[in-house]
Amino acid sequence: MGNNSATLGQCPKSEDCSMKFIYYTVIHVIGGFFSALGGVPAYMIMFRCVQPELKSLAVGLFTLIMRMLAGIPAPVYFGALIDKTCLKWGSTSCGQRGACRLYDSNAYKYVYLGLSAVLRGPSHLISVVFYILIKKHFENKNSRPIENGGREDAPMNKEDNCKIKEHLPSSSDAENESCI
């Protein structure tokens, strides 16, 4: 096959290796934080949109769907893509293909991190779209001029106030005189 040799100790590493690890850790922690931000709001939206007697069913179905779409198939496609990065396969005692002995580390990092990004990307995109829609909705709601201090039944001015009091059966003559 070839001339293979090994030496005792760690393999030499480049100068920027520790900085790459710090970049990876920071990006992974920030990505995990933003991914986790969607968990609680999803439950809050579900609880507000579902009738009280159906909330337990909604939680059960939500959990079932999340497991079916994410929890069960994820190891299968992660494993299949990681197996594509194998350079040297071992063999079992029966002569069949065994576990991977050596991975292509560059391909492995792109497959592992790339698949995570591809799977998280659409959820982040949907979150951004919902944020923009909700922000526009509340900006439109807040940009309307509020008349009467936000009370629809309050009179606009003193004359309207007097007209309303004249028509009320419980208003006394003293209150009506203050309008004259």
Side-chain angles (χ1 to χ4, degrees), residues 45-65:
I45 290 170
M46 179 178 52
F47 286 143
R48 288 185 176 204
C49 295
V50 175
Q51 296 173 358
E53 61 272 4
L54 298 176
K55 286 184 181 183
S56 60
L57 177 65
V59 170
L61 288 175
F62 181 75
T63 305
L64 176 70
I65 290 169

Side-chain angles (χ1 to χ4, degrees), residues 73-147:
V76 174
Y77 49 76
F78 266 98
L81 285 175
I82 289 171
D83 283 349
K84 300 255 187 225
T85 65
C86 184
L87 296 175
K88 172 76 173 127
W89 287 98
S91 59
T92 62
S93 59
C94 300
Q96 296 177 341
R97 185 173 86 169
C100 183
R101 303 274 184 194
L102 180 66
Y103 289 101
D104 179 2
S105 60
N106 285 328
Y108 188 93
K109 77 177 173 188
Y110 289 121
V111 164
Y112 183 76
L113 297 176
L115 184 58
S116 296
V118 165
L119 294 175
R120 286 182 180 172
S123 67
H124 289 302
L125 183 66
I126 291 170
S127 298
V128 168
V129 168
F130 280 142
Y131 176 76
I132 291 169
L133 290 174
I134 290 171
K135 188 175 178 183
K136 283 183 181 178
H137 174 72
F138 282 109
E139 281 178 354
N140 290 340
K141 199 174 193 179
N142 291 338
S143 66
R144 292 183 195 147
I146 299 177
E147 297 175 351

